[in-house]
Amino acid sequence: MTGHIHSIESFGTVDGPGARLVVFLKGCPMRCQYCHNPDTWEMAGGTDMTVDEIIKQFEASRSFYRGGGITATGGEPLLQIDFVTELFEEAKQRDIHTCLDTSGITFQADNKEYLEKLDRLMASTDLVMLDIKQIDDLKHTELTGHSNKRILEFARYLDSKQIDMWVRHVVVPGLTDQKPELYNLGRFIGSLSRVKALDVLPYHDMGKVKYESLGMEYPLDGVPPMSKEGAISAKKIILSGIRDERRHEPNPFCS
C-alpha cells in the first residue's frame, strides 16, 4: 500500500503523547481560514511512500520514540483511510502507539462500506486528536467551507467505540473566541466520556509567509494573533461548559 505524503516530521512533540514520527498526508476538503498548511490541500505534489518505508524510518530511531509513536495527520488523513489503516495495523504489530489527527469531516454515518473501513482503522488506533473548529454550525461553515455536523457525529462515533480523544480548538480573535460558543463547545465535550485532554491553542499568523510563497491571498490578513492569556481565558470558559454539562446545570445561553 502506497500513501501520498506531503512530508514527515521525525521528532514531533505536540502531535500526541511523547516524541513521535509525524506523517503529513496530502489532501483535505476543508478550507479553514487559519490553516497554516494550505500546501496539503491538493493531492498534487508530495511523495509516494509505502508503509514499510515509514515503519523502517520509525524503527531506525525507535529508541528516541520511547513513550511516543506514530501520528498520521495532514491535510486530512482519513482521505487516505486504506493507507492509514495498513500503516496503523503494521505499527500495532510492532507495539507502536498510533495517533490519528483529524477533523472528522469525512465521517459518513449512513455509508455502511465507509463505517466498516472506519471500524477496522479504529481497531488499531490508540488515540484520536480531534479538531473542533467552531461549535456553531453556521459560523463553522463560514470558517471552513463545511458544516460541522459530520464532525460532531464523528466525535459521538468515537465515544461509542470507546476511542480515547484529545480535543483541540484554535482560538481566533473575532471568529472562535466568543463566550457563548466556547461555553457550548464545553457542553458538547462534557457530553462525551472518552475525552482525555483539551488543547486550546492561540491563533498565530506564521502561516502567512507560506500563503505568499504559494501566491495565495491570506484569508485572515489583519487579524491579530491571539495572546496566550486569551487562550487561557477561552479554555476556562470551555471547562466551565464541561463542568456544567456533567453536573446537569442549565445552559445560560439557551432561552
Side-chain angles (χ1 to χ4, degrees), residues 74-128:
E76 175 46 65
L78 288 178
L79 285 181
Q80 299 188 56
I81 188 171
D82 295 332
F83 174 77
V84 176
T85 298
E86 187 170 307
L87 174 63
F88 278 16
E89 287 178 345
E90 181 63 28
K92 293 314 297 176
Q93 289 182 16
R94 297 166 179 261
D95 196 29
I96 300 171
H97 183 277
T98 56
C99 176
L100 178 70
D101 180 7
T102 177
S103 71
I105 192 62
T106 65
F107 186 70
Q108 302 171 47
D110 56 353
N111 185 325
K112 182 180 178 181
E113 182 180 356
Y114 175 84
L115 290 177
E116 288 174 351
K117 286 188 175 187
L118 193 59
D119 286 347
R120 179 181 167 187
L121 173 58
M122 289 301 109
S124 58
T125 301
D126 293 309
L127 175 68
V128 172

Side-chain angles (χ1 to χ4, degrees), residues 227-238:
S227 67
K228 291 183 179 179
E229 293 77 16
I232 291 171
S233 296
K235 185 171 185 177
K236 289 179 180 178
I237 297 171
I238 297 172

Side-chain angles (χ1 to χ4, degrees), residues 48-81:
D48 288 334
M49 294 186 69
T50 66
V51 167
D52 286 345
E53 287 174 322
I54 294 173
I55 292 294
K56 285 180 180 178
Q57 186 167 336
F58 180 92
E59 293 287 11
S61 303
R62 187 172 185 127
S63 61
F64 292 102
Y65 297 119
R66 193 170 301 160
I70 293 176
T71 295
T73 184
E76 175 46 65
L78 288 178
L79 285 181
Q80 299 188 56
I81 188 171

